[in-house]
Amino acid sequence: MKALILVGGFGTRLRPLTLTLPKPLVEFGNRPMILHQIEHLAQAGVTDIVLAVNYRPEIMVAALQSYEQEYNVKITFSVETEPLGTAGPLALARDILAKDDSPFFVLNSDITCDYPFEQLRDFHLSHGNEGTIVVTKVDDPSKYGVIVNQAGHDSKIERFVEKPKVFISNKINAGIYILNPSVLDRIELKPTSIEKEVFPFIAQDGELHTFDLDGFWMDVGQPKDYLTGTCLYLTHLAKKQSHLLSDPTTHDYVHKGNVMVHPSAKIGQGCRIGPNVVIGPGVTVGDGVRLQRCVIMEGATIKDYAWVQSSIVGWNSSVGRWSRLEGCSVLGDDVTINDEIYVNGGSILPHKSISANITEPQIIM
Ligand code: GDD
Ligand code: MG
């Protein structure tokens, strides 16, 4: 089987992390975001993966080469000379996607869930129409594609409205599709939105279905949602793959569970860590540190008695003794927070050193 991942643009909403790495390579649960998708696609029998990008992909090409062998998939980069939106990239990759007459998966690269590829494929083949969209329910559907099913029909879609201004339903597009190659005949090779210019018409023809997602889902393309998505993912692991989390019976620093610590990280004495914390490779956590709902990336240092809550500490950064980070603060690569500093909602660009308190959310360049 085949799949195309919409990798897209510069990931500006996930700055300052994306100033250092392209969004798909930013770690989520200690592994590059895109690797979660590649792994699940491979498990479902996908052998051809197209990554649709609209910037120079050199860093990604190098990083992903090793995964081709590891997961036994062929990864092709399809590079746009101008951003082609969410549908144009399918036309650009037509040669691969239409190669045989079988359906292909399409994924937004910034979403996380318990990917249901095999069930999705089975359901899609069972109804025989052109496309199936994975859907989930959210409280605030206004920033998503919203879906209304046909009256009296469990799965057939009547309307697809991208980011509606008025409430029509709380069933949203989760950003995972399976489509027949015939859909390619509906897409021209030019900047096109699949949500606005393709799905509404397939729905009109009665050829588009929903597939309900079980379990967690999140678009993790911005820091606040990345943290929420991390909590959901860790909660999911606690239920399904608890061996990936620190065992509270043998690690007394674990507080209320959902703590993932890379084996190469060092944790000091008397720390209280959790719930919902990810600690990356080579991280050093000092003594008496309090971590809660946060992600500490590779090579970072959290010094003695620091407190980090609802924040992301980027690669190789350091948080000083007795310092406090909260309010969705994000430190880019190699940021230094000096001792006894308070940071609330700071978004701090790579290589900065902070020696005065940041009490209100702001970007430090
Ligand atoms: N190759 C390529 N080229 N990819 C692109 C382009 C482009 O020009 N523009 C966007 N993408 C990629 C993004 O990187 C992302 O993976 C995906 O397409 C969706 O774009 P976003 O910018 O993240 O859209 P969104 O989050 O506002 O809305 C989309 O996702 C929601 C679910 O998270 C829509 O598909 C909504 O309908 C959906 O509910
Ligand atoms: Mg998105």
Side-chain angles (χ1 to χ4, degrees):
M1 284 191 81
K2 309 152 289 182
L4 178 140
I5 306 179
L6 289 160
V7 174
F10 299 100
T12 40
R13 289 179 290 183
L14 204 53
R15 276 185 190 158
L17 300 173
T18 44
L19 293 172
T20 305
L21 276 187
K23 182 161 73 174
L25 294 185
V26 171
E27 294 88 356
F28 179 84
N30 276 345
R31 299 161 76 220
M33 269 187 210
I34 201 156
L35 196 53
H36 295 264
Q37 300 186 327
I38 291 175
E39 182 191 62
H40 281 92
L41 286 167
Q43 278 168 5
V46 170
T47 49
D48 262 295
I49 300 179
V50 179
L51 298 187
V53 298
N54 58 35
Y55 53 83
R56 295 172 52 201
E58 285 80 3
I59 310 178
M60 284 189 54
V61 174
L64 291 180
Q65 250 161 10
S66 61
Y67 303 143
E68 283 196 311
Q69 286 186 340
E70 190 177 339
Y71 293 99
N72 199 18
V73 291
K74 179 164 173 32
I75 298 175
T76 309
F77 284 80
S78 175
V79 184
E80 298 146 46
T81 47
E82 62 170 330
L84 290 176
T86 47
L90 276 63
L92 188 64
R94 190 186 171 107
D95 286 352
I96 296 176
L97 299 180
K99 197 159 65 170
D100 46 34
D101 213 21
S102 64
F104 54 84
F105 294 110
V106 177
L107 269 79
N108 289 350
S109 65
D110 56 359
I111 54 118
T112 178
C113 65
D114 191 12
Y115 302 97
F117 294 123
E118 282 164 78
Q119 301 93 305
L120 175 61
R121 176 203 52 212
D122 293 347
F123 173 69
H124 178 76
L125 293 175
S126 76
H127 66 62
N129 288 132
E130 276 190 274
T132 309
I133 298 181
V134 176
V135 295
T136 187
K137 285 188 173 162
V138 294
D139 292 335
D140 175 14
S142 63
K143 54 178 179 171
Y144 303 107
V146 174
I147 286 154
V148 181
N149 287 109
Q150 283 184 10
H153 201 292
D154 284 345
S155 71
K156 232 177 216 189
I157 298 178
E158 181 177 287
R159 289 173 72 198
F160 185 108
V161 187
E162 183 65 10
K163 308 200 171 85
K165 298 264 182 323
V166 294
F167 182 89
I168 45 175
S169 153
N170 63 352
K171 193 177 270 192
I172 64 141
N173 168 21
I176 302 174
Y177 325 122
I178 183 166
L179 306 172
N180 288 351
S182 63
V183 169
L184 297 168
D185 299 336
R186 297 173 178 268
I187 303 171
E188 285 178 58
L189 183 52
K190 62 174 196 188
T192 312
S193 157
I194 202 164
E195 297 86 354
K196 293 181 184 156
E197 298 170 81
V198 182
F199 287 155
F201 298 99
I202 311 182
Q204 226 167 52
D205 295 345
E207 290 278 340
L208 198 56
H209 291 253
T210 53
F211 174 89
D212 292 314
L213 186 64
D214 268 340
F216 76 108
W217 177 87
M218 197 71 202
D219 180 323
V220 294
Q222 40 191 315
K224 189 172 147 286
D225 296 340
Y226 174 94
L227 284 171
T228 306
T230 299
C231 297
L232 295 171
Y233 174 63
L234 293 172
T235 304
H236 166 78
L237 291 184
K239 283 190 212 126
K240 299 271 168 83
Q241 285 173 279
S242 59
H243 63 280
L244 296 175
L245 302 179
S246 293
D247 182 350
T249 59
T250 49
H251 298 88
D252 58 6
Y253 57 76
V254 176
H255 182 66
K256 296 189 181 167
N258 289 7
V259 175
M260 174 183 272
V261 179
H262 192 273
S264 62
K266 292 193 185 66
I267 312 284
Q269 299 296 312
C271 293
R272 183 183 271 208
I273 299 178
N276 298 311
V277 173
V278 177
I279 296 179
V283 166
T284 306
V285 176
D287 295 337
V289 166
R290 175 75 181 107
L291 302 176
Q292 198 178 348
R293 200 177 189 273
C294 63
V295 175
I296 316 294
M297 292 187 166
E298 180 163 5
T301 304
I302 312 293
K303 295 190 180 163
D304 301 346
Y305 309 107
W307 165 299
V308 182
Q309 184 179 31
S310 293
S311 295
I312 305 169
V313 175
W315 314 275
N316 312 307
S317 286
S318 110
V319 177
R321 288 167 60 93
W322 296 104
S323 285
R324 179 173 178 130
L325 221 63
E326 64 183 12
C328 204
S329 294
V330 187
L331 312 187
D333 177 38
D334 181 38
V335 167
T336 305
I337 306 291
N338 287 341
D339 293 350
E340 295 178 39
I341 294 293
Y342 173 53
V343 180
N344 175 25
S347 177
I348 303 171
L349 269 59
H351 315 301
K352 292 283 151 197
S353 180
I354 302 296
S355 49
N357 293 340
I358 300 170
T359 55
E360 299 292 332
Q362 58 184 287
I363 299 170
I364 307 291
M365 317 219 234

